[in-house]
Amino acid sequence: MHHYGANVMIPPQTDEHLQVLEALATAVLVVGMDRRISFMNPAAENLLQTSTQRGMGRDVIEMLPLGVTLQAALMAAQQGATTTLREETLVRPGNAEELSVDCTVSPFSSRSESGSMIIELNRVDQLTRIARDTWVHERQDALNQIVRALAHEIKNPLGGLRGAAQLLDRELPRRELREYTYIITHEADRLSGLVDRLTGGFHVMDHEPFNLHAVLEHVRKLILVEIPQGIQFERDYDPSIPEICGDRAQMIQAVLNVVRNAVQAMNNRGQINLRTRVRRQYTLRNQRHRLVLEASITDNGPGIEPELIGRVFFPMVTGRADGTGLGLALAQEIVHRHDGLIECTSQPGHTCFTLYLPVKASQ
Ligand SMILES: Nc1ncnc2c1ncn2[C@@H]1O[C@H](COP(=O)(O)OP(=O)(O)OP(=O)(O)O)[C@@H](O)[C@H]1O
Ligand SMILES: [Mg+2]
């Protein structure tokens, strides 16, 4: 329990202190004795999915729906006591995902302010999530290596096969026999194309700045040309997102693969929501980034079959009779090349793929 008496000297806030607060992974809110918010750090904005502008002056109970336990903690802080609430469930308005947080409420007073309270929030599921990310990536990397090795072993003999078939083709005495050599070359080409797609095919990657909204819009228009009716797009774009660096064409391919799946799952009839946001101080694949773009693609189709859900990003996993099961593996490969992460959650009526892409500091 802390109690800051009136005679405790706290130095006035400096820029450096502010920077420390801004860099903290812990979400920090400062509220007045009347419970109105006077400060939120970026981690708090992230966690509560709001901006300081929107939160400022509002009753913290509205922004932080933790119920009576929070009210009790605030009352205790008004009396000078610090309380920590463990593993509280935080449901944010308009967001289906529930978070588990530890919440500490302490009284605070400085020379400039008569009295206020500090609320600290820590996600307790964040650590397990990061550990899981790493695990998934290690497994995926191992799989990719196997696929690459296999692809190499298949492609070399295919070249020989094709060359031999062409030589044979010239020597054939009867024209109608050419049908057989045609099948050999045609099938060799098809296999080789498949292997290229499996391994990503493109070894060079652009590093040009591009706008993620332009990518989403490009895909949206492509789909609307393919299927002029039946698919309704909703857009919820964060206009403040900065450009990212990378390969725009590949990113279009990745998003297109995800959106096509949604269209196919919904049988060309349904709604697709495209949403972008900026995340601050976000950890991806064990690396902390100052800024990360988040793009989610949500459809209201039947959802991913439960037995596939843990494996959809693996190559050759498909739920469709005519699917090759490469679309999402390729999308993931492309997102990884941009040091990003792709995740999905699915239930009937709500399937959401989210891409996280870091904005590099050098930009
Ligand atoms: N939005 C979605 N709704 C329902 N199921 C989906 C959705 N996205 C993917 N899936 C499931 O995941 C499987 C794998 O998708 P992926 O794009 O990797 O392969 P594919 O679509 O089957 O074949 P390809 O894209 O190579 O033509 C799909 O076959 C489908 O069963
Ligand atoms: Mg697909």
Side-chain angles (χ1 to χ4, degrees):
M1 205 191 275
H2 305 288
H3 193 186
Y4 295 110
N7 54 352
V8 175
M9 296 286 280
I10 293 169
Q13 201 176 52
T14 64
D15 271 349
E16 204 179 334
H17 289 143
L18 194 62
Q19 277 169 14
V20 171
L21 267 176
E22 308 251 324
L24 275 185
T26 305
V28 178
L29 291 96
V30 179
V31 302
M33 281 302 173
D34 54 0
R35 304 199 310 210
R36 296 198 181 281
I37 298 172
S38 62
F39 174 79
M40 289 166 85
N41 73 346
E45 294 181 324
N46 243 339
L47 189 73
L48 302 177
Q49 299 188 330
T50 185
S51 61
T52 303
Q53 255 174 344
R54 260 194 284 171
M56 205 62 119
R58 287 191 37 199
D59 189 331
V60 69
I61 299 278
E62 284 173 45
M63 304 296 292
L64 196 59
L66 290 178
V68 287
T69 47
L70 179 63
Q71 289 193 28
L74 286 165
M75 271 163 68
Q78 282 161 350
Q79 320 277 306
T82 297
T83 317
T84 296
L85 311 166
R86 298 259 175 233
E87 301 200 24
E88 289 286 327
T89 305
L90 179 64
V91 186
R92 293 157 299 173
N95 191 318
E97 189 197 5
E98 288 186 353
L99 298 181
S100 186
V101 293
D102 284 348
C103 171
T104 302
V105 184
S106 353
F108 174 75
S109 63
S110 66
R111 276 188 304 195
S112 53
E113 272 185 82
S114 55
S116 45
M117 298 177 277
I118 298 181
I119 303 176
E120 295 160 67
L121 296 161
N122 268 306
R123 275 181 71 167
V124 287
D125 52 356
Q126 187 102 34
L127 277 178
T128 36
R129 202 183 88 103
I130 291 167
R132 199 199 62 201
D133 279 358
T134 324
W135 179 77
V136 168
H137 277 107
E138 277 166 7
R139 211 170 57 158
Q140 187 74 39
D141 282 348
L143 198 81
N144 278 340
Q145 279 174 22
I146 297 171
V147 169
R148 288 235 161 76
L150 252 177
H152 185 76
E153 288 310 300
I154 292 171
K155 271 204 95 161
N156 278 341
L158 271 184
L161 209 67
R162 193 181 199 288
Q166 275 177 331
L167 287 176
L168 190 64
D169 191 78
R170 287 188 217 145
E171 303 297 325
L172 283 177
R174 298 209 323 261
R175 255 198 104 69
E176 61 271 25
L177 292 177
R178 288 187 150 185
E179 193 189 327
Y180 300 124
T181 50
Y182 170 77
I183 291 175
I184 299 172
T185 43
H186 184 77
E187 289 298 283
D189 287 347
R190 197 178 63 81
L191 254 180
S192 147
L194 185 72
V195 169
D196 279 345
R197 271 184 291 145
L198 252 175
T199 48
F202 21 68
H203 301 291
V204 273
M205 187 180 141
D206 259 1
H207 281 283
E208 296 288 321
F210 66 88
N211 183 300
L212 196 59
H213 290 154
V215 168
L216 292 168
E217 283 298 287
H218 188 98
V219 170
R220 187 178 68 90
K221 284 176 191 150
L222 268 181
I223 294 289
L224 286 178
V225 170
E226 271 176 38
I227 307 146
Q229 270 172 0
I231 300 291
Q232 259 181 326
F233 279 97
E234 269 176 15
R235 286 170 289 172
D236 175 4
Y237 291 163
D238 179 343
S240 72
I241 68 166
E243 292 194 319
I244 48 172
C245 211
D247 195 310
R248 179 173 183 266
Q250 288 187 19
M251 199 51 70
I252 289 177
Q253 187 65 54
V255 173
L256 189 61
N257 289 359
V258 172
V259 174
R260 271 228 170 93
N261 283 345
V263 171
Q264 285 162 345
M266 297 190 300
N267 254 323
N268 298 353
R269 212 151 269 287
Q271 253 178 31
I272 296 177
N273 179 284
L274 305 173
R275 178 177 189 269
T276 58
R277 288 293 180 268
V278 181
R279 302 274 168 238
R280 280 163 231 282
Q281 304 299 343
Y282 209 86
T283 302
L284 293 177
R285 308 174 68 182
N286 271 357
Q287 223 194 318
R288 203 167 165 71
H289 297 279
R290 200 174 61 81
L291 274 186
V292 167
L293 304 191
E294 179 187 316
S296 46
I297 298 149
T298 311
D299 69 71
N300 65 349
I304 300 173
E305 291 166 43
E307 66 269 25
L308 287 188
I309 202 153
R311 302 182 289 133
V312 281
F313 290 110
F314 289 173
M316 307 298 208
V317 169
T318 180
R320 294 190 298 116
D322 58 346
T324 55
L326 293 183
L328 289 177
L330 195 56
Q332 186 183 52
E333 171 83 23
I334 292 168
V335 170
H336 284 184
R337 283 176 188 192
H338 288 80
D339 295 320
L341 185 75
I342 179 167
E343 283 187 334
C344 92
T345 58
S346 179
Q347 62 193 54
H350 191 98
T351 299
C352 177
F353 282 83
T354 307
L355 281 67
Y356 297 93
L357 297 163
V359 180
K360 303 286 168 53
S362 59
Q363 279 174 228

